Amino acid sequence: NSYKLTFKDNKGNVLSGPTDISYGSTIQYPDTNKTGYTFHGWDSNLTTMPAHDLVITGTWTANSYEITWNVDGVTSKTTVTYDSTFSLPGDPVKEGYTFLGWFTAETGGDQVVAGVYKTTSNVTYYARFAIKTYTVTWVDESGNVVDTEVVSHGANATKNPTVPAKNGYTGAWEKVATNVTADVEIKPVYTANS
């Protein structure tokens, strides 16, 4: 006589079967390797098929891994379970920079998105930033643009355009653009010649 043999995992998923197996035949257990999981055993230790239908259930638990979040050398850690959904931490703030995202390498690498964790090891993800830039604009008395320069956050403008001439006056720029942290407009100031 033959009976039905079915193997399931501890979530109820059928691994194999139902298969007709003759009474007294050797039970061939399926492979227990499952990426990202640890196998703990079967709920039966039978080696031959009994005279009835049989369901044998194996138990696996998802492995835990550690994600290290690296922001310019300062790290924090999150434990995540394989096949579970994970979230990205809040966007880090760095003065003068725009946060671009989390990446698998300090330079290059792939951008990380939240989702289901499918990596079978501990990993480090790196925050990537782009320095903010600002425009320094020199204008004449009427507000017409004389020159412009794009400057990185905290840098100094390197241009020094000629102040527009004004009859009977000596001109200078009202200020020098140093340690720039926002868009800047610079106007001329004039002193009457004596």
Side-chain angles (χ1 to χ4, degrees), residues 1-193:
N1 289 341
S2 292
Y3 298 93
K4 303 275 186 213
L5 174 60
T6 305
F7 288 95
K8 292 185 176 183
D9 68 15
N10 49 307
K11 293 185 177 180
N13 299 312
V14 174
L15 303 174
S16 70
T19 306
D20 289 324
I21 305 289
S22 298
Y23 168 74
S25 295
T26 301
I27 294 175
Q28 299 292 321
Y29 285 80
D31 182 12
T32 58
N33 290 328
K34 192 173 177 184
T35 301
Y37 288 81
T38 299
F39 179 68
H40 297 286
W42 299 105
D43 67 353
S44 170
N45 57 4
L46 292 175
T47 57
T48 58
M49 189 66 188
H52 57 80
D53 291 345
L54 180 63
V55 175
I56 299 176
T57 302
T59 302
W60 286 262
T61 55
N63 297 331
S64 292
Y65 300 98
E66 191 171 77
I67 299 174
T68 300
W69 306 96
N70 185 320
V71 181
D72 292 338
V74 177
T75 61
S76 61
K77 297 182 185 298
T78 302
T79 300
V80 64
T81 303
Y82 188 82
D83 264 348
S84 68
T85 301
F86 76 100
S87 300
L88 302 176
D91 292 353
V93 175
K94 183 176 178 180
E95 184 180 350
Y97 289 80
T98 300
F99 177 66
L100 299 177
W102 294 100
F103 290 80
T104 57
E106 287 186 78
T107 57
D110 297 316
Q111 187 164 6
V112 178
V113 295
V116 177
Y117 194 80
K118 290 289 191 182
T119 302
T120 57
S121 63
N122 297 328
V123 294
T124 299
Y125 294 141
Y126 299 87
R128 188 161 306 155
F129 299 91
I131 195 162
K132 291 181 180 177
T133 58
Y134 308 100
T135 302
V136 177
T137 306
W138 290 269
V139 296
D140 65 17
E141 282 187 303
S142 301
N144 299 314
V145 174
V146 173
D147 205 350
T148 62
E149 181 178 356
V150 176
V151 179
S152 294
H153 181 87
N156 301 333
T158 58
K159 287 185 176 181
N160 185 19
T162 303
V163 177
K166 183 175 178 181
N167 287 334
Y169 292 86
T170 301
W173 294 113
E174 64 182 345
K175 59 186 167 188
V176 178
T178 58
N179 190 28
V180 176
T181 58
D183 289 338
V184 178
E185 185 177 87
I186 301 174
K187 298 174 184 172
V189 289
Y190 294 97
T191 305
N193 296 335

